[in-house]
Amino acid sequence: MTQEDQERHRGFGCWPGPTTRSSSIRSSSCASAYYSQSHPRNATASRTLGFVCFRNDTGTQAYYATFTAYDGRVVVPELVETSDFVHFRFITLNGPAAENKGMALFPRKIGGLYAMLSRQDNENIYLMFSDNVHFWNERRVLLKPAFPWELVQLGNCGSPIETDAGWLVLSHGVGPMRKYCIGAFLLDRDDPAKVIGRLREPLLQPNRNEREGYVPNVVYTCGALLHNGELIIPYGLADHATGFATVPLAEVLAAMERA
């Protein structure tokens, strides 16, 4: 079996367990798709749009998406809300902590407060709480780079996913030669400021067929979902195509180093 065949058989670049990885679909990358919309800051484009189904205290639900808005000069995070995916409401995010990229809302309140992941300093992942989804004033460092494949930069990939074991968060790590990989870590369900598990090796990294493109050596995702115990990850590769990968959730959790 050739090295290329071995990579395809394994699915995930450094992942030893059973996985499935689809063929690439050549289109705009899901990680870097640009959407022209009209929203409060008159931005000309947005990227890394990640939707989450948010459960309100009343039992109702709404869909929120955080995204990075760009007007040609300034990059700011913003929020879009919809209940039917027909009508959308664009909302500004305000406060000193509402800056940079990677803001991702938890799918429900925790301790009566909205919770959000963020990445304000282009290096670490932060955690924020607020009583108002539009205003974010304080932040705290949640996770710092620890392994070679994420030493340049660490960020989240979409909203946390609630499991019986805790909040599962996909992350992206940037290492030598600007290589982007996807990792994962686990937060306590009641106190997400506690990191209780973390993968030492990437969950997904570019294989030989995914390294060439507009932005080479990159795999990136805006989020994942759980279905019948399987973690389903749509991902963009090299900003020129998209693919899907699946892996059993139990395998991911079992491979995590406990904090």
Side-chain angles (χ1 to χ4, degrees), residues 104 106 108 110 115-117 125-129 141-143 156 158-170 184-198 253 256 258-259:
F106 281 68
R108 63 173 175 84
I110 300 174
M116 183 94 77
L117 297 179
I125 297 177
Y126 286 80
L127 177 65
M128 305 186 295
F129 292 97
V141 174
L142 177 66
L143 202 65
N156 63 291
S159 293
I161 300 171
E162 189 168 13
T163 73
D164 291 339
W167 294 102
L168 177 67
V169 182
L170 296 187
F185 59 94
L186 193 69
L187 305 177
D188 186 89
R189 284 181 69 183
D190 298 321
D191 182 6
K194 295 179 180 178
V195 179
I196 58 176
R198 187 175 187 178
L253 297 177
M256 287 188 174
R258 297 298 163 176

Side-chain angles (χ1 to χ4, degrees), residues 183-254:
F185 59 94
L186 193 69
L187 305 177
D188 186 89
R189 284 181 69 183
D190 298 321
D191 182 6
K194 295 179 180 178
V195 179
I196 58 176
R198 187 175 187 178
L199 290 181
R200 173 174 286 273
E201 300 292 341
L203 182 63
L204 180 64
Q205 66 176 342
N207 66 25
R208 179 177 298 179
N209 297 316
E210 298 174 342
R211 293 175 184 149
E212 300 298 325
Y214 180 70
V215 182
N217 226 22
V218 171
V219 291
Y220 190 93
T221 183
C222 294
L225 59 87
L226 282 176
H227 180 69
N228 291 334
E230 291 283 318
L231 184 63
I232 303 172
I233 308 171
Y235 67 98
L237 49 107
D239 270 26
H240 83 107
T242 58
F244 291 83
T246 65
V247 60
L249 173 64
E251 299 276 346
V252 177
L253 297 177

Side-chain angles (χ1 to χ4, degrees), residues 16 31 89 102 107 114 124 178 183 210:
R89 187 163 69 105
Y114 293 97
N124 306 301
R178 298 294 296 177
E210 298 174 342

Side-chain angles (χ1 to χ4, degrees), residues 93-141:
L93 289 172
N94 306 278
E99 60 178 349
N100 211 309
K101 301 178 181 180
M103 297 184 71
L105 191 66
F106 281 68
R108 63 173 175 84
K109 289 182 179 180
I110 300 174
L113 297 173
Y114 293 97
M116 183 94 77
L117 297 179
S118 59
R119 184 189 51 127
Q120 282 92 347
D121 61 4
N122 293 319
E123 181 178 351
N124 306 301
I125 297 177
Y126 286 80
L127 177 65
M128 305 186 295
F129 292 97
S130 176
D131 59 1
N132 189 318
V133 72
H134 310 304
F135 291 87
W136 302 88
N137 296 311
E138 298 180 356
R139 67 192 187 195
R140 68 181 79 173
V141 174

